[in-house]
Amino acid sequence: MTAATTAAVAATAPRDAPRDAPRDAPRLHDLVGIGLGPFNLGLAALTDPLDDVDAVFLDENDGFAWHPGMMIEGATIQVPFLADLVTMADPTSRFGFLNWLKATGRLYPFYIREEFSPLRAEYDAYCRWVAGQLDTLRWGRRVTSVDEQPDGTYVVSSRRAADQAVETWHARHVVLGVGTEPRLPEPLQRLADRGDAHGRGDAHGRVVHSADYLTARDRLRAADSVTIVGSGQSAAEIYRDLLDTSRVGDRPGHRLDWVTRSPRFFPMEYTKLTLELTSPEYTDHFHSLPRETRDRLGREQRSLYKGISGDLVDDVYDTLYRLSVDGPVDSTLLTETELVDARWVDADEQLEITVRHAQLGTTTTRRTDALVVATGYAARLPSFLDALGDRVDRDDLGRLAVARDYSIDGGRGRLFVQNAEEHTHGLTAPDLGFGAWRNSSIIASITGREAYPIERRIAFQTFGRPDGPTPTATPTPTPTEEARVTR
């Protein structure tokens, strides 16, 4: 028996296969989760105490890590601590953030601190604590394919990093939580695609996405000029961090610039009636709208969740004010300005960027030694879904056509996604605070019961026409006849 075969057998040992299945039939899981960011980790925590859900979760990394490149000291997450992995579904869960604080002796200090938002490093440590208690997680597994069997179940193939053994996992349901991937502006994407004349890629790593900021921070501090491109929290945190640590104003000729195409450095809108847009009702309304309307709203609503915390906006100003006591600060902040072209010059020692001012319609060129790209992330479409072909629903732009219940398999309710539905469900897709609600819905689809009560209405507002039909949340799913047979 080969190592790969041995691994496959170990991964598929029988548990609750159909009664008439052969004794050596592969283990049929109720659920295989692919990817272990906060959302699938929350799903693992919520399914852990359920006797009627046999789940396993696969991830190619060797352990949990949440945005390690942005663990800037003192940075906080932008949601309250209640937006942990489980609390909004099950406040009594042992995997809640408050229980982690108690277990680590931090509950009273957190209480005295009187801040709702945990530190980003604290949230990461909490997630790693939860991951360490779950025996359903399989790290170091890179999924290579997902295929559907004639009976409607799935076979997930993975390669184990430790020895390159191939494993197979059989499941009634699959939940994709592979997360997003860094997004580059088109000019920088073209630069990355064609490389440079010397085949050095981005010329010694001097074009850095915010996802890798901490890895590159020492190089950025040493550079004579740094330009940050982006509008949101990550761009602001990096600018603020480099303002002090790169000693702007203390090194002659050193420059730190910030370029954004937004009309201003806008704060995240955090008023309470606005926060009701993260409700099930608004998600129902948003999902019911035509695709063109959803896309337009997605652009218009960016300030609701992609802005900068108001405190950080003020802190940036206060820091610039403090540094200006000794004279002008060598830093330029440009709004309404879009990056439209980029090329390496001076034997690839500098990057020349062309920017266009939206109001004036004029373009200018600027040179910089290093560029930090804080332009966000895009949904990832994993190639391991290719074998499913048109059995995966897509819209006319090639994006996943995600149903209201988060399935993407033509209404069968077997294949689900997490945080890949911003274009269909709106701003709740990446929201940590809504993750537990979405997981409760997915669990209801898998089990045919509400293991965790699902709130249908939580908002005081009415979305859509007050005198017309109101979109209603998808009712609690019941198992299909096929699912009943295979159980």
Short mmCIF file of all heavy atoms in Angstrom, two decimals, residues 226 228 239 243 248-249 254-258 316 320 323 328-334 366:
data_model
loop_
_atom_site.label_atom_id
_atom_site.label_comp_id
_atom_site.label_asym_id
_atom_site.label_seq_id
_atom_site.Cartn_x
_atom_site.Cartn_y
_atom_site.Cartn_z
N VAL A 226 8.57 56.92 -0.02
CA VAL A 226 7.55 55.87 0.01
C VAL A 226 6.23 56.52 -0.36
O VAL A 226 5.88 57.59 0.15
CB VAL A 226 7.45 55.20 1.39
CG1 VAL A 226 6.33 54.16 1.40
CG2 VAL A 226 8.77 54.57 1.78
N ILE A 228 2.10 55.61 -0.53
CA ILE A 228 1.02 54.70 -0.16
C ILE A 228 -0.17 54.99 -1.05
O ILE A 228 -0.56 56.15 -1.22
CB ILE A 228 0.63 54.86 1.32
CG1 ILE A 228 1.84 54.55 2.21
CG2 ILE A 228 -0.54 53.96 1.68
CD1 ILE A 228 1.66 55.00 3.64
N TYR A 239 0.28 54.48 6.89
CA TYR A 239 0.77 55.87 6.84
C TYR A 239 1.11 56.36 8.24
O TYR A 239 2.18 56.94 8.46
CB TYR A 239 -0.28 56.76 6.19
CG TYR A 239 0.12 58.21 6.10
CD1 TYR A 239 1.00 58.66 5.11
CD2 TYR A 239 -0.36 59.15 7.01
CE1 TYR A 239 1.39 59.99 5.03
CE2 TYR A 239 0.01 60.48 6.94
CZ TYR A 239 0.89 60.89 5.95
OH TYR A 239 1.27 62.21 5.88
N LEU A 243 4.84 57.37 9.57
CA LEU A 243 5.07 58.76 9.94
C LEU A 243 6.09 58.86 11.07
O LEU A 243 6.99 59.70 11.05
CB LEU A 243 3.77 59.43 10.38
CG LEU A 243 2.98 60.20 9.34
CD1 LEU A 243 1.71 60.78 9.97
CD2 LEU A 243 3.80 61.29 8.68
N VAL A 248 9.98 60.80 9.36
CA VAL A 248 9.67 61.86 8.40
C VAL A 248 9.95 63.20 9.07
O VAL A 248 9.57 63.44 10.21
CB VAL A 248 8.19 61.78 7.95
CG1 VAL A 248 7.83 62.98 7.09
CG2 VAL A 248 7.96 60.49 7.19
N GLY A 249 10.62 64.09 8.37
CA GLY A 249 10.97 65.39 8.92
C GLY A 249 12.29 65.39 9.65
O GLY A 249 12.84 66.44 9.96
N HIS A 254 13.82 62.76 2.77
CA HIS A 254 12.92 61.62 2.92
C HIS A 254 11.48 62.08 2.76
O HIS A 254 11.06 63.09 3.34
CB HIS A 254 13.09 60.97 4.29
CG HIS A 254 12.16 59.81 4.51
ND1 HIS A 254 12.38 58.58 3.94
CD2 HIS A 254 11.00 59.71 5.20
CE1 HIS A 254 11.39 57.76 4.29
NE2 HIS A 254 10.56 58.44 5.06
N ARG A 255 10.70 61.32 1.96
CA ARG A 255 9.31 61.69 1.71
C ARG A 255 8.39 60.50 1.99
O ARG A 255 8.74 59.34 1.76
CB ARG A 255 9.10 62.11 0.24
CG ARG A 255 9.80 63.40 -0.15
CD ARG A 255 9.18 63.95 -1.43
NE ARG A 255 7.74 64.13 -1.28
CZ ARG A 255 7.18 65.17 -0.66
NH1 ARG A 255 7.95 66.11 -0.14
NH2 ARG A 255 5.87 65.27 -0.57
N LEU A 256 7.21 60.84 2.48
CA LEU A 256 6.16 59.85 2.68
C LEU A 256 4.87 60.46 2.14
O LEU A 256 4.38 61.46 2.67
CB LEU A 256 6.00 59.50 4.16
CG LEU A 256 4.86 58.53 4.51
CD1 LEU A 256 5.10 57.17 3.88
CD2 LEU A 256 4.70 58.40 6.02
N ASP A 257 4.32 59.88 1.07
CA ASP A 257 3.13 60.41 0.43
C ASP A 257 1.99 59.40 0.51
O ASP A 257 2.21 58.19 0.58
CB ASP A 257 3.41 60.76 -1.03
CG ASP A 257 4.49 61.82 -1.18
OD1 ASP A 257 4.59 62.67 -0.28
OD2 ASP A 257 5.23 61.80 -2.18
N TRP A 258 0.77 59.93 0.45
CA TRP A 258 -0.43 59.10 0.50
C TRP A 258 -1.37 59.56 -0.61
O TRP A 258 -1.76 60.72 -0.66
CB TRP A 258 -1.10 59.23 1.87
CG TRP A 258 -2.29 58.35 2.10
CD1 TRP A 258 -2.81 57.41 1.26
CD2 TRP A 258 -3.11 58.34 3.27
NE1 TRP A 258 -3.90 56.80 1.83
CE2 TRP A 258 -4.11 57.35 3.06
CE3 TRP A 258 -3.09 59.05 4.47
CZ2 TRP A 258 -5.09 57.09 4.02
CZ3 TRP A 258 -4.06 58.79 5.42
CH2 TRP A 258 -5.05 57.80 5.19
N VAL A 316 -3.90 60.83 12.74
CA VAL A 316 -3.02 61.19 11.62
C VAL A 316 -2.82 62.70 11.60
O VAL A 316 -1.68 63.20 11.47
CB VAL A 316 -3.60 60.69 10.29
CG1 VAL A 316 -2.87 61.34 9.10
CG2 VAL A 316 -3.48 59.17 10.19
N LEU A 320 0.74 64.77 12.25
CA LEU A 320 1.30 65.73 11.31
C LEU A 320 1.48 67.09 11.97
O LEU A 320 2.49 67.78 11.75
CB LEU A 320 0.38 65.86 10.09
CG LEU A 320 0.37 64.67 9.13
CD1 LEU A 320 -0.79 64.79 8.14
CD2 LEU A 320 1.69 64.57 8.38
N LEU A 323 4.58 66.89 14.23
CA LEU A 323 5.82 66.86 13.47
C LEU A 323 6.12 68.21 12.81
O LEU A 323 7.28 68.52 12.52
CB LEU A 323 5.76 65.77 12.40
CG LEU A 323 5.71 64.32 12.90
CD1 LEU A 323 5.49 63.36 11.74
CD2 LEU A 323 7.00 63.96 13.64
N PRO A 328 8.05 72.36 7.92
CA PRO A 328 7.16 71.60 7.05
C PRO A 328 7.50 70.11 7.06
O PRO A 328 8.67 69.72 7.09
CB PRO A 328 7.40 72.21 5.67
CG PRO A 328 7.93 73.58 5.95
CD PRO A 328 8.73 73.45 7.21
N VAL A 329 6.45 69.29 7.02
CA VAL A 329 6.62 67.84 6.99
C VAL A 329 6.71 67.40 5.53
O VAL A 329 5.89 67.80 4.70
CB VAL A 329 5.43 67.14 7.68
CG1 VAL A 329 5.62 65.63 7.67
CG2 VAL A 329 5.27 67.65 9.11
N ASP A 330 7.73 66.60 5.22
CA ASP A 330 7.92 66.12 3.85
C ASP A 330 6.91 65.01 3.54
O ASP A 330 7.24 63.83 3.42
CB ASP A 330 9.34 65.61 3.63
CG ASP A 330 10.35 66.74 3.62
OD1 ASP A 330 9.98 67.85 3.20
OD2 ASP A 330 11.50 66.51 4.03
N SER A 331 5.67 65.39 3.44
CA SER A 331 4.60 64.42 3.18
C SER A 331 3.49 65.12 2.42
O SER A 331 3.11 66.25 2.75
CB SER A 331 4.06 63.84 4.49
OG SER A 331 3.08 62.87 4.24
N THR A 332 2.99 64.45 1.40
CA THR A 332 1.90 64.99 0.59
C THR A 332 0.73 64.02 0.64
O THR A 332 0.91 62.82 0.44
CB THR A 332 2.34 65.18 -0.87
OG1 THR A 332 3.47 66.05 -0.90
CG2 THR A 332 1.21 65.78 -1.70
N LEU A 333 -0.45 64.56 0.91
CA LEU A 333 -1.67 63.76 0.91
C LEU A 333 -2.51 64.22 -0.27
O LEU A 333 -2.88 65.40 -0.37
CB LEU A 333 -2.45 63.94 2.22
CG LEU A 333 -1.92 63.20 3.45
CD1 LEU A 333 -0.65 63.85 3.98
CD2 LEU A 333 -2.97 63.15 4.55
N LEU A 334 -2.81 63.31 -1.17
CA LEU A 334 -3.51 63.63 -2.41
C LEU A 334 -4.84 62.88 -2.46
O LEU A 334 -4.87 61.64 -2.44
CB LEU A 334 -2.67 63.26 -3.63
CG LEU A 334 -1.33 64.00 -3.79
CD1 LEU A 334 -0.52 63.37 -4.92
CD2 LEU A 334 -1.58 65.46 -4.08
N ARG A 366 5.14 61.15 -10.77
CA ARG A 366 5.89 61.25 -9.52
C ARG A 366 6.81 60.04 -9.44
O ARG A 366 6.50 58.98 -9.99
CB ARG A 366 4.95 61.27 -8.31
CG ARG A 366 3.90 62.34 -8.36
CD ARG A 366 2.91 62.19 -7.21
NE ARG A 366 3.53 62.40 -5.90
CZ ARG A 366 3.66 63.59 -5.33
NH1 ARG A 366 3.23 64.68 -5.96
NH2 ARG A 366 4.21 63.70 -4.14
#
